[in-house]
Amino acid sequence: MNTHTVSANHSSEGELFRKILGKEWLKLHPDIQSRFAKNPEPGKPLYYRGRLSELACSPIGKLFGFISRPFIHGALIPFNDRDFPVDIQVYSKPACDAIFKQRIYRLNHREPIQFTSYMRESEKGEVLEYVGMGLGMKLVLHVHEGNLYFTSDGYFWDLLGFRLPLPAILTPGKTFLCHRNDSPTDFNIRIEIRHVLFGTTFTQAGAFHEAAEEAGMAEGSPS
């Protein structure tokens, strides 16, 4: 059980990632460095638009997805689909050190699914991502061939300032994410979640580009 407090204020993911990665940051592709260094000022989100070529979940993943929906709706999508648009907003709030990321998945023949998480640094210099109801995971970052990789290192429930670790068997699995650069304005992302007993439970893969406007994202405006 670890006490969780917030350290220095970070106005962008890049500032946090640069601090955590240290010299490894310099190995990142310059386009990725530039992308994460952009600061979303309060009321001025950054916008990204793209398409998922793959959204998949195993039978066990689907069970995790439906069980978790009342608590963290959108974090674990219990459907299989492909080739549909996704809108992303990255934003900050006044007097808040966290960086928020809102996603709107516009699945085929279903109502859009909205999911918001936020990222911050712990007092121990850990990258923490919260997905709702105090639930979150610690992320480990590394660089390979110029691209940025995230691997979860345990899930937790933040209760009254204390981080209570969750047994791996009760979680959807270990999360692996790759942010791979395609061009100064384009990138692709692949996410896999692998359970200790049941193998891969969730997969997402898609290509995204930076968007200059909020067009088409009105229904998901951050509060």
Side-chain angles (χ1 to χ4, degrees):
M1 181 169 63
N2 299 315
T3 303
H4 164 240
T5 58
V6 176
S7 61
N9 181 36
H10 292 279
S11 55
S12 78
E13 290 176 299
E15 292 174 16
L16 173 57
F17 297 166
R18 183 166 52 243
K19 176 181 178 181
I20 297 299
L21 287 169
K23 293 181 180 179
E24 287 289 299
W25 172 264
L26 300 177
K27 298 179 182 179
L28 273 176
H29 192 288
D31 291 346
I32 298 180
Q33 293 184 30
S34 177
R35 186 172 301 124
F36 280 108
K38 296 177 181 178
N39 296 335
E41 300 177 12
K44 298 180 179 180
L46 303 175
Y47 300 106
Y48 303 92
R49 309 196 75 181
R51 299 187 74 84
L52 281 196
S53 57
E54 180 181 6
L55 175 72
C57 65
S58 69
I60 291 296
K62 185 169 293 190
L63 179 62
F64 272 110
F66 279 113
I67 290 175
S68 67
R69 286 185 82 182
F71 311 102
I72 49 172
H73 179 68
L76 302 171
I77 300 177
F79 305 118
N80 294 293
D81 204 344
R82 60 179 58 248
D83 192 25
F84 61 88
V86 179
D87 298 325
I88 299 176
Q89 295 186 44
V90 180
Y91 63 96
S92 61
K93 295 182 179 181
C96 178
D97 68 336
I99 293 293
F100 297 81
K101 186 171 294 184
Q102 176 185 277
R103 310 150 183 89
I104 301 178
Y105 298 87
R106 305 185 188 278
L107 282 71
N108 295 302
H109 314 300
R110 296 185 185 274
E111 290 295 318
I113 296 175
Q114 180 175 313
F115 165 57
T116 302
S117 65
Y118 66 90
M119 191 173 291
R120 66 186 350 155
E121 180 190 6
S122 76
E123 64 175 1
K124 295 183 177 182
E126 304 159 312
V127 178
L128 305 178
E129 183 168 17
Y130 290 80
V131 298
M133 299 290 291
L135 296 172
M137 58 184 169
K138 183 173 75 171
L139 296 174
V140 176
L141 284 63
H142 75 276
V143 179
H144 179 64
E145 296 181 344
N147 298 305
L148 184 57
Y149 290 79
F150 302 80
T151 304
S152 66
D153 185 23
Y155 291 78
F156 60 84
W157 184 29
D158 196 325
L159 182 64
L160 300 177
F162 292 90
R163 280 165 44 202
L164 308 176
L166 300 178
I169 196 171
L170 299 180
T171 73
K174 196 176 186 73
T175 298
F176 300 87
L177 185 151
C178 174
H179 178 114
R180 187 181 300 275
N181 194 65
D182 292 325
S183 78
T185 58
D186 298 272
F187 58 96
N188 68 79
I189 290 176
R190 183 173 182 85
I191 303 172
E192 292 186 8
I193 303 179
R194 305 171 194 162
H195 193 273
V196 64
L197 294 180
F198 305 116
T200 301
T201 50
F202 294 92
T203 302
Q204 290 186 22
F208 296 83
H209 64 273
E210 299 178 21
E213 301 178 352
E214 189 182 359
M217 304 185 193
E219 68 190 72
S221 299
S223 57

